[in-house]
Amino acid sequence: MNKESSHVMEILETHRALLSRLLPDDRPGALTVHQGQFHHVVIGAERVVCFARTEAAARRLPERAERLRTLAGIGLGFRTPEPLEEAVAGPDEPAYLVLTRIPGAPLEEDALKSPDVAEAAASQYAALLYGLAAAGVDDKVRAVLPHAPEGGWREFADGVRAELFPLMNDAGRARAEHELAALSALPHLTSAVVHGDLGGENVLWETADGLPRLGGVVDWDEVMLGDQAEDLAAIGASYGEELLGQVLDLGGGAQGSEATGRISAIRGTFALQQALYAQRDGDEEELADGLTGYR
């Protein structure tokens, strides 16, 4: 049994009694486990159960549920998970959040070798981003979702230098300084609803007539009003420049000659973002992964 399989079995065994209660219609052997940056997600036929990986993530579960309720009421044109049940950590049980399951699976990168598949995916990504941009100018949405803080990128850079530089070697610090320098020119934007991690794993697709059809989007932990270049950077990181270019050509997301620079600058910090959040959450596994190449 490899390390990943062993980890999955550990999650299912540790929470076996609780999962039997929360997912009564699912056989234990049919459950799958996905490990995200902040949660272990146990996936049943109709529901998913999120267990926080750290105490800090557990404290954020009620906020996560509230944001998902907000999204459900916006009408984005695609499905998002809806909270069904939640609980804080107790003496005998962990904190958890039960959500509706969004049908579909991530789109495999190899599938994009087909021009028809790539065109279908790009057009739906563009529509998705258009919906998020439209929601970002809705006064009701702007009143309930957090806004990206002014000076947020500067604070991020300061945090990397203070908290991560001591963990890097000289070459790693030089690389990080180069990546952080690109952030200094980014404008403060709050014009669109930004998912915050719109990479391949969080956008789920079904198949209709041999082509991908958007099922929905999951993992909205970082949603806020911000710069849509962040979501475009995640698309490019997952599927490459060709699909990103198609999405932009179709009018999906941030436009203009300066958008490419913003996308590139943000994309260059993804590993540092992962490492800094992991450091603050006390997640050693994610921290080590994020710092690969810096030490």
Side-chain angles (χ1 to χ4, degrees):
M1 182 181 297
N2 61 34
K3 182 179 179 181
E4 182 177 355
S5 297
S6 176
H7 192 64
V8 167
M9 292 302 297
E10 181 182 352
I11 295 295
L12 295 176
E13 182 62 28
T14 300
H15 304 302
R16 176 167 37 171
L18 178 58
L19 289 170
S20 295
R21 178 167 63 81
L22 297 177
L23 304 173
D25 298 326
D26 291 286
R27 294 182 295 103
L31 299 174
T32 58
V33 179
H34 170 73
Q35 178 175 305
Q37 181 170 355
F38 302 112
H39 308 98
H40 297 296
V41 182
V42 180
I43 303 171
E46 302 292 336
R47 297 178 167 198
V48 301
V49 182
C50 302
F51 296 110
R53 294 185 57 183
T54 64
E55 291 183 6
R59 290 193 294 271
R60 294 194 296 268
L61 280 178
E63 180 182 11
R64 184 186 192 208
E66 189 57 35
R67 291 185 182 184
L68 288 172
R69 293 187 185 97
T70 298
L71 290 168
I74 291 175
L76 291 170
F78 53 85
R79 285 170 284 193
T80 60
E82 297 183 33
L84 299 173
E85 184 178 341
E86 59 189 287
V88 299
D92 302 315
E93 288 188 347
Y96 63 82
L97 178 61
V98 183
L99 305 171
T100 55
R101 178 180 177 178
I102 302 300
L107 185 65
E108 297 293 336
E109 188 172 359
D110 284 349
L112 296 174
K113 293 177 181 178
S114 163
D116 289 342
V117 170
E119 181 181 356
S123 65
Q124 289 174 86
Y125 257 125
L128 185 163
L129 290 162
Y130 180 84
L132 293 177
V137 297
D138 186 313
D139 288 340
K140 294 180 180 178
V141 175
R142 298 187 66 81
V144 294
L145 287 183
H147 294 226
E150 191 164 4
W153 287 118
R154 182 180 64 251
E155 293 177 7
F156 167 74
D158 291 344
V160 169
R161 294 186 179 101
E163 300 174 51
L164 298 183
F165 272 26
L167 307 177
M168 300 178 182
N169 58 27
D170 290 343
R173 284 189 286 272
R175 172 186 167 184
E177 278 290 7
H178 177 74
E179 293 163 347
L180 295 174
L183 299 178
S184 61
L186 292 179
H188 177 237
L189 300 175
T190 61
S191 54
V193 174
V194 174
H195 177 278
D197 188 10
L198 202 62
E201 289 190 353
N202 293 326
V203 181
L204 305 182
W205 305 82
E206 300 175 283
T207 301
D209 298 324
L211 295 176
R213 181 179 64 193
L214 181 65
V217 182
V218 300
D219 196 1
W220 292 85
D221 287 16
E222 303 301 313
V223 64
M224 65 174 61
L225 293 158
D227 182 357
Q228 214 163 37
E230 293 189 45
D231 284 344
L232 288 159
I235 294 170
S238 289
Y239 293 116
E241 297 299 322
E242 186 172 351
L243 182 70
L244 175 60
Q246 288 180 277
V247 173
L248 289 170
D249 288 344
L250 289 166
Q255 297 295 308
S257 58
E258 81 287 352
T260 301
R262 302 204 319 272
I263 292 167
S264 178
I266 293 168
R267 181 174 171 179
T269 67
F270 279 170
L272 293 175
Q273 289 185 48
Q274 174 184 328
L276 184 61
Y277 298 148
Q279 170 76 346
R280 291 174 173 175
D281 272 9
D283 191 327
E284 292 296 330
E285 185 177 347
E286 286 290 315
L287 174 63
D289 182 64
L291 288 179
T292 301
Y294 294 92
R295 59 184 185 182

